[in-house]
Amino acid sequence: MNSRIFAILAATGASAIYGLNHTIAKGVMPTYIQPFGFIMLRVLGAAILFWLLTPFAPKERIAKNDWPRMLACAIFGMAINMLFFFKGLSLSTPINSSVIVTLSPVMVLILASFILKEKITWLKGIGIGIGLSGALTLVLFSAKHVDNAPNIPLGNMLFIVNAFSYGLYLVIVKPLTKKYHAITLMKWLFLMGIIINLPVTYTEFIAVDWSNLPFDAIWRMGYVVAGTTFATYLLNIYALKHLSASTISVFMYLQPLIAIIYAILVGADELNLVKIVAGLLVFVGVYLVSTKKTKTHA
């Protein structure tokens, strides 16, 4: 089996883990942990796991001129991306989050046009407009409050920022994946993520009653740290070595399908006309954007 097949399987696995995460992570917020406290748990737990793997990775030193790009990756991939997603998830619903995050391929194309000077065709421009209209439909026309989702429009807006930040992360981290081993990158990026997130997340992190957490909360937190953070970032970095950033982002299409099925099965969310229409708009937009492979190599 060649490396491209392994890369596709890695990207598929990451999207499957993310798809379940929308409901699993939602189940512990805010009862057992607040969203920003959850982010500190994520970056701290992942950093520990990646540093424990250091003996199994080649000894590499980050070049001095790569540290600014590393810092940007940590800011957009381990801070803004995570903070806005989890805060949005605490305010909105799992299905809304899974639909809006599929805007990342659109964001990658827009960012690649500015950063990498790629041309946006009319077809892709139309796709961007349709996809964004679907996201705005969820923001403007979703119910303002349901159980365990106190401010759905605001939460949905935060998901859009999350999609933009993650798209930017995919674009700027790509050149680094060609130079460094995945473990080398992740151990440093998550260590930097701890430092960047600390001022925002410390208060909520220490407020958690760690000694009295029930098993249901523990396994969900463990899934987010070991699965959604450690495994997915490792899988995506591996996939990025063999696939373009835009190709990786397209695998996000799997997230809504998995998230919707799981959320409905466990009774965490339900479909309605607004979500269906908005979802169709997003998927059509993303399809138009992705009809032709874009070159996101830096």
Side-chain angles (χ1 to χ4, degrees), residues 27-68:
V28 292
M29 296 185 295
T31 305
Y32 300 108
I33 190 169
Q34 294 291 330
F36 289 171
F38 215 154
I39 298 308
M40 178 49 63
L41 178 63
R42 287 187 70 180
V43 295
L44 180 61
I48 291 172
L49 291 174
F50 281 116
W51 277 92
L52 287 175
L53 289 179
T54 297
F56 303 98
K59 293 183 178 180
E60 297 175 307
R61 295 186 65 176
I62 306 296
K64 187 176 181 180
N65 61 349
D66 283 331
W67 281 110

Side-chain angles (χ1 to χ4, degrees), residues 119-155:
K119 184 179 179 181
I120 296 180
T121 64
W122 280 104
L123 184 64
K124 295 182 187 296
I126 292 171
I128 289 171
I130 294 175
L132 292 177
S133 70
L136 289 174
T137 297
L138 280 177
V139 171
L140 298 174
F141 299 107
S142 290
K144 289 186 168 48
H145 174 80
V146 297
D147 290 342
N148 202 26
N151 194 333
I152 292 176
L154 177 58

Side-chain angles (χ1 to χ4, degrees), residues 181-195:
H181 191 275
I183 293 174
T184 302
L185 281 178
M186 290 297 99
K187 72 178 185 180
W188 285 112
L189 289 178
F190 275 101
L191 181 60
M192 295 166 74
I194 293 174
I195 298 170

